[in-house]
Each structure stands twice: as structure tokens, then as C-alpha cells.
Amino acid sequence: MIKAALSVLLVLVAISSTFGKYIPKSGKRIPQTLSRGWGDQLIWAQTYEEALYWSRSRNKPLMVLFHLDDCPHSQALKKVFSEDNKLQKMLDEDFIVLNLVYETTDKHLSPDGQYVPRIIFVDPTMTVRADINGRYSNRMYAYEPSDVDLLKRNMEAAKKLLKSEL
Amino acid sequence: MIKAALSVLLVLVAISSTFGKYIPKSGKRIPQTLSRGWGDQLIWAQTYEEALYWSRSRNKPLMVLFHLDDCPHSQALKKVFSEDNKLQKMLDEDFIVLNLVYETTDKHLSPDGQYVPRIIFVDPTMTVRADINGRYSNRMYAYEPSDVDLLKRNMEAAKKLLKSEL
């Protein structure tokens, strides 16, 4: 009898814990992550302001990655990028990371135009490293999946910080 | 014999699928979500620029929510906010939502200073609705957990859009 009452109680608790939680009409959604698939184990900044603050306060270079979910070039790069263990480790340990699907108002982040995928490095002195670029002269900050080794060399270059004038 | 070979193969596949994935020294992390616990079923904008774009293009008011993970007032409001079914439904259906743990450079979003938790409504005409505020004269855009009904009334006010001058 007590056992039956306990069972009923348990069922009621189970129902009430899901009851009342908002579910959209279109069905339950998987919560969006800040990584957007570019490295689930990295600690991503949410905004450029936040990323600049972290870069300055931790004295680490910032990588800003512009991409789009419906761009096949972005998706191809994402696969290589997220699966490269050495790249992910370097980013986690030595960089501040930010990925954006929407352009900022800061024109320094688009030295030769707005396109995706595009990777821009920023020094902790808040200087955009326009000198660190990929291999395409018409889209200097674009990288193809086959450019991942060049990207890692560019990360090494970004780790050599500019001297602050202060 | 074939069964044994298959078993070995399956084990190898299982190992190789986790092998090589980057895990931080400090241990595996749970990927951060854009919701940060304020409503996992809502579609959150990542940045203010993105939120303004959505607000204009979908003609929906924008709610900007400033908070901090280590602020007990933010956490108390978050609990009520995320568990209020009606509030979540309204936000999902009628609003563009953005939550930020870092201030933007736009001073219109801090009409009476930078503090958390703080909720600012923005009309699709990109006008900050400084007229829609909570009950505290010294922190006009702060809300306590007990103010959740006032917050919902303010959301109804924000849904009455300003007329565009165009």
C-alpha cells in the first residue's frame, strides 16, 4: 500500500518536473552553442567587445572567425578546423576565440571586404594583424580546408605579440 | 570467427571515433549555450548588431538582457525568467532576444548606467524604449524576481510598436 502510494508520488513528481516547461509549437529545439561546431571544447567569446577585453587582460592574441551556416566553404573549413587536435589545443591554450555569423560595425575586421570564411587575428594591443593572411590575393583572409597548415603557421606568427607602445 | 573479427572491428571504430578529439587538460567541458540558462528553447541572437538586424527584418521588438553569472540578483531573476512558461512563449513568438554578459559600446543601451540585471527594449525602428522601465527609480531597468508580472506588462507595451517615420 505504501509502495503503491510512493509509486504514484514518483510519477506525479516526474510529470510535474517536465510539466510547465515551455516547448515551441514546432517542437523541442537543441540549444544553440557558442561554438557553432568550430570546437565544442573551446571557450568562445560571445561578442567582439568581450573578446577584445579578454585578449587585453590575458595578453593573448584573438582569432576572429567569420562564417555562415549555409556557406559550403565555411562548412568544409569547419570540419577540418574542428577535427584538428593540434589546432584546437593551440587555440585553447594560447588564443582568445570568437566566431561570428554577423558582421560587426568595426571596419578594421574587414580589411579587404566582408566575405566568409574569413579569419582575422588581433593583437592584445588591439591592433588588427592585417599582415597575417592566407594564400589568396583577392580574398586575403580566406582559408580553404587544404590551408590548415598555413593557418597553424599564421597562428604561430600571431603568437609573436606586437610590442605595446606604453 | 567472423563474429569475433566484427567485434574487434567495432571496438576499433569506437576507439577511433573518440581518439584524436581534443580534450582540455582540465577535463571535458560542457559546450556553452547562447541561452546561458535564460531559456534553452529560445533562439538567441549572438550580438547586438545581429539582434538589430533580426528586429528590423522581422518587425519584432528586441529584448536585451544584461546579466552576470556571478551576480546573485541575475541568477535569482534567471530562475523565475526561465521557468515562466507564458514569458518564454511570448519571447519566442513575439520578440527577438539577446542576452549579454559584457557591455556593448552603444551608450543608448545604458540610459542610467551599466548594472545587472538590466532589461532594455528596442523597437524595430532601432529606437531604445527608455520609456519602458521597472519599479526602481535609481536603477530604472532593473527587475527583481517578484517583478516578473511587471516585466510581462512591459513586454506587452514593447509589442505596441512605434510608428516608423518612413
Side-chain angles (χ1 to χ4, degrees):
Chain A
M1 182 61 191
I2 291 171
K3 213 171 165 186
L6 271 176
S7 299
V8 169
L9 191 71
L10 271 175
V11 168
L12 284 176
V13 167
I15 290 171
S16 65
S17 69
T18 52
F19 193 76
K21 284 225 179 184
Y22 172 68
I23 307 283
K25 276 179 194 161
S26 51
K28 203 171 177 187
R29 301 186 187 117
I30 296 163
Q32 300 158 276
T33 63
L34 272 174
S35 79
R36 296 183 192 261
W38 290 82
D40 283 345
Q41 292 298 307
L42 304 182
I43 296 170
W44 295 89
Q46 182 181 353
T47 65
Y48 188 44
E49 291 93 340
E50 189 178 345
L52 285 177
Y53 174 79
W54 288 0
S55 173
R56 288 172 64 183
S57 58
R58 295 175 197 173
N59 204 38
K60 287 182 177 181
L62 161 64
M63 174 194 274
V64 187
L65 171 63
F66 293 89
H67 65 103
L68 282 173
D69 283 340
D70 54 5
C71 157
H73 298 280
S74 298
Q75 297 313 303
L77 182 64
K78 176 160 78 175
K79 185 165 163 45
V80 171
F81 188 101
S82 63
E83 291 176 359
D84 190 310
N85 202 350
K86 192 185 159 201
L87 178 83
Q88 292 284 320
K89 184 174 193 286
M90 261 175 92
L91 285 175
D92 189 30
E93 295 179 355
D94 303 323
F95 284 81
I96 303 300
V97 285
L98 170 69
N99 75 79
L100 292 171
V101 290
Y102 203 84
E103 296 287 339
T104 70
T105 50
D106 193 323
K107 286 183 181 161
H108 295 99
L109 288 175
S110 46
D112 64 348
Q114 298 181 343
Y115 50 86
V116 293
R118 180 169 105 248
I119 295 177
I120 308 277
F121 293 98
V122 185
D123 189 76
T125 56
M126 293 178 68
T127 309
V128 169
R129 297 290 304 265
D131 58 313
I132 302 180
N133 54 268
R135 64 171 87 254
Y136 310 100
S137 58
N138 57 336
R139 292 188 164 200
M140 287 189 42
Y141 306 96
Y143 294 83
E144 297 270 351
S146 56
D147 300 330
V148 72
D149 286 328
L150 171 61
L151 178 59
K152 282 186 271 193
R153 286 198 299 279
N154 283 350
M155 286 164 63
E156 291 294 347
K159 279 170 67 178
K160 295 191 182 83
L161 304 184
L162 304 177
K163 291 280 179 293
S164 171
E165 283 172 37
L166 296 174
Chain B
M1 181 63 189
I2 292 172
K3 213 172 165 186
L6 270 176
S7 298
V8 169
L9 190 72
L10 270 175
V11 168
L12 284 175
V13 167
I15 290 171
S16 66
S17 70
T18 54
F19 193 76
K21 284 225 176 184
Y22 173 68
I23 307 284
K25 278 180 192 159
S26 52
K28 203 171 175 188
R29 303 186 185 117
I30 296 164
Q32 300 160 278
T33 63
L34 272 174
S35 79
R36 296 183 192 260
W38 289 83
D40 283 344
Q41 291 299 306
L42 304 181
I43 295 170
W44 295 89
Q46 182 181 353
T47 65
Y48 188 42
E49 290 93 340
E50 189 177 347
L52 284 177
Y53 174 79
W54 288 0
S55 172
R56 289 172 65 183
S57 58
R58 296 174 197 177
N59 203 37
K60 287 182 176 182
L62 161 64
M63 175 193 274
V64 187
L65 172 63
F66 292 91
H67 65 102
L68 282 173
D69 283 340
D70 55 3
C71 157
H73 297 281
S74 297
Q75 297 314 301
L77 182 63
K78 177 159 77 176
K79 185 168 163 40
V80 171
F81 188 101
S82 63
E83 291 176 358
D84 190 309
N85 202 351
K86 194 186 157 198
L87 178 82
Q88 293 283 320
K89 185 174 192 287
M90 263 175 91
L91 285 175
D92 189 30
E93 294 178 356
D94 303 324
F95 284 81
I96 303 300
V97 285
L98 171 69
N99 76 78
L100 292 171
V101 290
Y102 202 86
E103 296 287 340
T104 70
T105 49
D106 193 322
K107 287 184 178 160
H108 294 101
L109 288 175
S110 46
D112 65 347
Q114 299 182 340
Y115 51 85
V116 293
R118 181 170 104 247
I119 295 176
I120 308 277
F121 293 98
V122 185
D123 189 75
T125 55
M126 293 179 67
T127 309
V128 169
R129 295 292 303 264
D131 58 312
I132 302 180
N133 55 269
R135 63 171 89 251
Y136 310 100
S137 58
N138 57 336
R139 292 186 162 201
M140 288 187 44
Y141 307 95
Y143 294 83
E144 298 269 351
S146 56
D147 299 330
V148 71
D149 286 328
L150 171 60
L151 178 59
K152 281 186 272 193
R153 286 199 300 279
N154 283 351
M155 286 163 64
E156 291 293 348
K159 279 170 65 179
K160 295 190 181 83
L161 303 184
L162 303 176
K163 291 279 179 293
S164 172
E165 282 169 40
L166 296 175

